[in-house]
């Protein structure tokens, strides 16, 4: 059986360096072997860099995804406010 690899984090500078090596002609196999990277990690970095020039997940979202996140947060806040008002009405009704 293969051992599960511990999750590692990388700096933006390191990710940029790896993508630049690839863009300058270094083979994918050599980069993966030399820097002990998984193919999925490497492919995600290259894809994200080509798409937006950023590695941040928030920079990869579409305008619709950002709006959906904003609306979900607002909906959650409004639900909490509604619950507070219901509880206050119950308390005031008892007095």
């Amino acid at each position: 059986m293969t051992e599960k690899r511990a999750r590692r984090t990388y700096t933006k500078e390191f990710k940029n360096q790896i993508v630049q090596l690839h863009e300058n002609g270094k083979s994918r196999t050599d980069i993966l072997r030399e820097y002990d990277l998984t193919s999925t990690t490497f492919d995600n970095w290259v894809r994200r860099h080509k798409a937006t020039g950023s590695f941040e997940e928030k920079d990869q979202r579409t305008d619709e995804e950002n709006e959906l996140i904003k609306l979900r947060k607002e909906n959650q806040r409004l639900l909490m406010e509604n619950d507070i008002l219901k509880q206050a009405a119950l308390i005031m009704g008892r007095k």
Side-chain angles (χ1 to χ4, degrees):
M1 271 184 118
T2 59
E3 288 185 39
K4 189 167 184 172
R5 201 181 248 203
R7 185 170 182 95
R8 298 181 286 177
T9 57
Y10 302 95
T11 64
K12 291 177 192 176
E13 293 79 17
F14 179 77
K15 294 175 187 179
N16 269 323
Q17 178 185 8
I18 296 299
V19 171
Q20 291 303 318
L21 284 172
H22 179 65
E23 288 177 350
N24 290 333
K26 189 162 189 168
S27 75
R28 178 179 184 270
T29 307
D30 289 343
I31 293 172
L32 295 178
R33 188 179 308 119
E34 186 175 336
Y35 293 96
D36 190 30
L37 298 171
T38 65
S39 59
T40 304
T41 299
F42 175 80
D43 293 340
N44 284 336
W45 292 352
V46 171
R47 180 179 40 78
R48 287 180 174 179
H49 187 267
K50 284 182 181 178
T52 62
S54 172
F55 301 107
E56 299 293 323
E57 188 173 331
K58 66 180 175 139
D59 294 335
Q60 306 300 321
R61 294 185 192 130
T62 64
D63 289 340
E64 291 83 12
E65 289 171 323
N66 286 329
E67 183 178 7
L68 181 60
I69 290 168
K70 178 184 164 206
L71 291 172
R72 285 181 176 164
K73 285 180 183 178
E74 182 179 0
N75 189 38
Q76 186 64 33
R77 180 183 58 81
L78 293 171
L79 288 171
M80 287 174 50
E81 287 178 8
N82 197 20
D83 286 342
I84 292 169
L85 291 172
K86 284 180 185 177
Q87 289 176 359
L90 286 173
I91 291 170
M92 298 304 267
R94 290 183 191 157
K95 292 185 178 183

